[in-house]
Amino acid sequence: MTDTSADLVILGGGSGGYACAFRAAELGLSVILVEKDKVGGTCLHRGCIPTKALLHAAEVADLAREGDQFGVKSSLEGIDMNGVNSYKDNIVAGLHKGLQGLFKANKVTVVEGTGKFVGGTTVEVDGTRYTGKNVVLATGSYAKTLPGLEIGGRIITSDQALNLDYVPEKVVVLGGGVIGVEFASVWRSFGAEVTIVEALPRLVPLEDEWASKQLERAFRKRGIKFKTGVRFTGATQTDDSVTVSLESGETFDADLLLVAVGRGPNSAGHGYEEAGVAMERGFVLTDDRLRTNLPGVFAVGDLVPGLQLAHRGFQQGIFIAEEIAGQNPKVIDEAGIPKVTYCNPEVASVGLSEAQAKEKYGSAETLVYNLSGNGKSQILKTSGGIKLVKAPDGPVVGVTMVGERVGELIGEAQLIYSWEAYPEDVAPLIHAHPTQNEALGEAFLALAGKPLHVHG
């Protein structure tokens, strides 16, 4: 018989929930985790992992199509979506199996079913109540839509887009943020005509404006169309197509409309408001130590205002476990959380944008290193660059990168930001040649006043 009491009860088994469970178990706490679906959450099953599998398949398609430029005689015969989905699903299944094994190894009790927070530190599942000394709310997020825009038929979210068994000929993507540009990139590589509609003035609007311009230039070269600074007004569909209308009076006919306007907190129906949890726009409010307004109740991940990133939730889960265990962990610096958008080319950043640095410090020094000076980037035939943002008479406070595979460079960039390093601290570090990582070193050499592979 399952024990209904534990040191910690967690509602939700996504990145934040399971990281909290495993770290708490490592620290000797007993843990009950409640999950209505599969452990691993959105990231593993409907987000990070399956989308990146599609993006890799898209990269392979581009390489096959463009082999001649490398002296390789290759061609793209077509996209077998059954094969692509099989590849994607096998990766997800393997990781899910491994995660299930970790739950057993860490002796975390998993309760399957829909949980409801009923106050105190208690969660109810199918009439059974589970009480902890502390409880963690970790119910994640859902794919949002716009008022009056009903999902169904040819109007889909990323949830349905991940399981398409065909490549659409024409797609309109509503939203030019991370999800929108990633799916636009995939479908263009698979041969679709793609148009992105973004109400804000630029694509990836949360990134440095320089990065948006770089990405927009690259998308134009790839034939990805986009309309920015214009609002969506409606969509009508038939059995064969969907027509999208904009405030400008323009209309677009397509096979599909992907609604990629962000994700909302999955808080409704879980008893939070009824139990008196402080909330705003559906988000659960916490202090910097992730405590809600109720004693013994914490919240984690996409449920909490801020960046909706799996690795943010993961780190927050670890933080809460250590906080409950009395280890007094260091508060997480939200600006120090790395961000990567995995379209082609990739966008990666950590710290402050130029605009944010100017707002905080009054002014900022910047430097852009173009990847045309980097040997490995030329081998990969990628354009882009690295932008450094430095506080006045202070350290580097922001790094933004655009180019193929630059997401793999974000680890060092995060260390530089967290270290509060000055250009003179980083410039002497040796970066292996030829690597794209070398471009980061060259950027810091230039900012330190000793540029080498910099033209003009």
Side-chain angles (χ1 to χ4, degrees), residues 413-425:
Q414 184 191 22
L415 290 174
I416 290 166
Y417 169 84
S418 300
W419 172 20
E420 298 182 350
Y422 284 69
E424 296 78 14
D425 296 324

Side-chain angles (χ1 to χ4, degrees), residues 105-130:
N106 283 285
K107 298 180 180 177
V108 172
T109 300
V110 177
V111 176
E112 296 181 359
T114 300
K116 184 175 182 179
F117 177 57
V118 293
T121 51
T122 298
V123 172
E124 184 176 295
V125 186
D126 297 330
T128 301
R129 294 196 166 194
Y130 300 87

